[in-house]
Amino acid sequence: MTTTASVVGGTGFTGGELLRLLDGHPEFAVVQATSRSEANKTVGGVHPNLRHMNLRFSDPEDLDSVDVLFACTPHGVSMERIDRFRDAAGTVVDLSADFRLPAAEYYDDHYDGHDRPELLAEAEYALPELNRENLPGADLVAAGGCNATATIVGLLPLFGHDILSGGERIVVDVKVGSSEGGAGGGAAASHAERSGVVRPYAPTGHRHEAEIEAYLGTSVSFTVHAVDMIRGASATCHVFPDDPVSKGDMWGAYRGQYEDEPFVRMASGGGGVYRYPEPKAVAGSNVAEVGFEVDPPNERLVVFSAIDNMMKGSAGQAVHAANVALGFEETTGLAATGFHPIGSP
Ligand SMILES: NC(=O)c1ccc[n+]([C@@H]2O[C@H](COP(=O)([O-])OP(=O)(O)OC[C@H]3O[C@@H](n4cnc5c(N)ncnc54)[C@H](OP(=O)(O)O)[C@@H]3O)[C@@H](O)[C@H]2O)c1
């Protein structure tokens, strides 16, 4: 039996990526994609890679009944429309920040509060590597932020494997591509301004810091740079453990955490040009690469992770979580490998 799906916010970058993934997914049939600005226009007119789809955007006020609704809308829309979304669909997967954080205090401290704080306890964080056991049957799923996802996937093995216990100093530096800002962009995202940049933005107080702290249970010092990529997020984490850590300890932790994960692979100082996690190497795929080095003189651990923000950092993660929530094989519709060689993706 086919599972019906709709995409609210179908003209955006994550909406387009979701439509691409759902179009190739054997279990889902996309019956609706919404847009206010492009209502009645074809999906292919906005997303040229989807010109073959026989689908027109419709008004988000007029939602079809479906099995799964994916909300790809700016922060604030889902919390305002959540009752309508839940009336229309058995399962809602939200890609915005609206249901990601586990308690209202996080929204009071890092956003402009929350309209529906009572629902936060019902929402399940989508990242299967962190929350797989709570996803089956979940009817409100919140996909993680892309920078937070890259960071959490990189650091997660350090917790629970006797390397960090929480409270140690961690400095995180993320480089991210322009698609993170959405299709709307703005002046800073214009080609002329964005091309060639290594531009710090939100050097302190980035909202994803709260998400990392909520799910890893420790505070981090977090800065993001906008760099000249379209897709991709690359996190470098400088970690200062209380006690010396060997390379063997690190391999034990990372293998123990990830050896059975279908979408995490190690890239840690091997041969070739790409010795560590590289956004180019995962572009278009749902894979997160992780790797590390140990710096004994300074007793510093350097942890690297790389994802495609459109995939593991948003739409791919959402489909992965939906597969788990609905009982499909986890990798369904997500098995594609990225390209090599490729220019700036
Ligand atoms: N881009 C990323 O890398 C990334 C990664 C992780 C999470 N996210 C999150 O995912 C969400 C979508 O991001 P995006 O990059 O896809 O944004 P985007 O490209 O700006 O797209 C936003 C979409 O939402 C629609 N929309 C805007 N306001 C709406 C409203 N009030 N009601 C219904 N539809 C509305 C827009 O179409 P119309 O205006 O035509 O309706 C558009 O289709 C955001 O919350 C973002 O933070 C993005």
Side-chain angles (χ1 to χ4, degrees):
M1 208 175 68
T2 308
T3 301
T4 54
S6 61
V7 175
V8 177
T11 52
F13 283 161
T14 61
E17 190 74 340
L18 255 170
L19 288 167
R20 179 178 80 84
L21 292 174
L22 296 174
D23 182 51
H25 195 296
E27 304 286 354
F28 286 112
V30 182
V31 297
Q32 185 176 33
T34 79
S35 164
R36 299 161 310 161
S37 58
E38 299 286 328
N40 302 318
K41 309 239 179 79
T42 62
V43 163
V46 172
H47 305 298
N49 56 331
L50 303 177
R51 279 182 182 131
H52 58 277
M53 282 184 87
N54 183 21
L55 188 67
R56 287 178 182 272
F57 292 112
S58 56
D59 191 318
E61 293 302 322
D62 193 13
L63 293 177
D64 290 349
S65 288
V66 288
D67 297 308
V68 186
L69 180 152
F70 293 89
C72 303
T73 44
H75 174 61
V77 176
S78 291
M79 68 171 85
E80 188 190 321
R81 302 208 64 205
I82 188 62
D83 292 336
R84 185 69 195 89
F85 289 171
R86 291 181 115 183
D87 284 347
T91 304
V92 173
V93 181
D94 183 36
L95 278 73
S96 81
D98 288 10
F99 294 99
R100 268 178 209 161
L101 292 165
E105 304 87 82
Y106 290 102
Y107 290 92
D108 294 337
D109 292 346
H110 299 276
Y111 294 83
D112 305 320
H114 203 288
D115 296 348
R116 302 295 302 277
E118 76 281 7
L119 296 180
L120 294 173
E122 287 180 37
E124 290 296 345
Y125 194 57
L127 192 64
E129 289 80 3
L130 190 75
N131 195 31
R132 177 176 282 108
E133 67 278 13
N134 293 316
L135 288 171
D139 62 5
L140 177 56
V141 176
C146 53
N147 303 317
T149 295
T151 306
I152 289 170
V153 170
L155 293 174
L156 187 60
L158 301 181
F159 298 88
H161 291 92
D162 292 333
I163 292 181
L164 299 183
S165 53
E168 295 88 351
R169 185 157 175 244
I170 302 177
V171 179
V172 182
D173 182 18
V174 176
K175 288 112 188 155
V176 71
S178 58
S179 60
E180 183 188 62
S190 77
H191 178 69
E193 299 293 355
R194 179 78 193 212
S195 181
V197 298
V198 183
R199 180 201 295 150
Y201 80 91
T204 61
H206 192 290
R207 287 169 164 179
H208 288 187
E209 203 170 276
E211 193 177 334
I212 297 163
E213 293 179 1
Y215 290 105
L216 289 182
T218 195
S219 64
V220 296
S221 302
F222 186 78
T223 295
V224 182
H225 290 75
V227 300
D228 192 359
M229 299 188 286
I230 295 172
R231 286 172 180 251
S234 167
T236 300
C237 305
H238 304 273
V239 180
F240 301 90
D242 291 337
D243 298 309
V245 176
S246 71
K247 239 177 171 176
D249 297 333
M250 291 292 278
W251 276 112
Y254 279 78
R255 287 205 180 104
Q257 188 78 38
Y258 288 139
E259 67 188 347
D260 295 327
E261 285 294 348
F263 293 120
V264 184
R265 72 184 181 207
M266 297 299 299
S268 203
V273 175
Y274 299 98
R275 298 175 57 218
Y276 297 101
E278 167 60 54
K280 268 177 70 162
V282 297
S285 83
N286 196 46
V287 169
E289 285 195 333
V290 293
F292 55 80
E293 277 301 338
V294 176
D295 185 12
N298 300 326
E299 296 181 342
R300 175 180 66 125
L301 311 172
V302 193
V303 173
F304 307 100
S305 51
I307 60 170
D308 181 336
N309 58 302
M310 300 273 83
M311 289 290 291
K312 186 72 181 167
S314 56
Q317 183 183 142
V319 171
H320 187 185
N323 284 343
V324 181
L326 296 164
F328 304 141
E329 207 284 306
E330 278 197 30
T331 57
T332 312
L334 294 170
T337 303
F339 297 110
H340 180 78
I342 186 173
S344 169

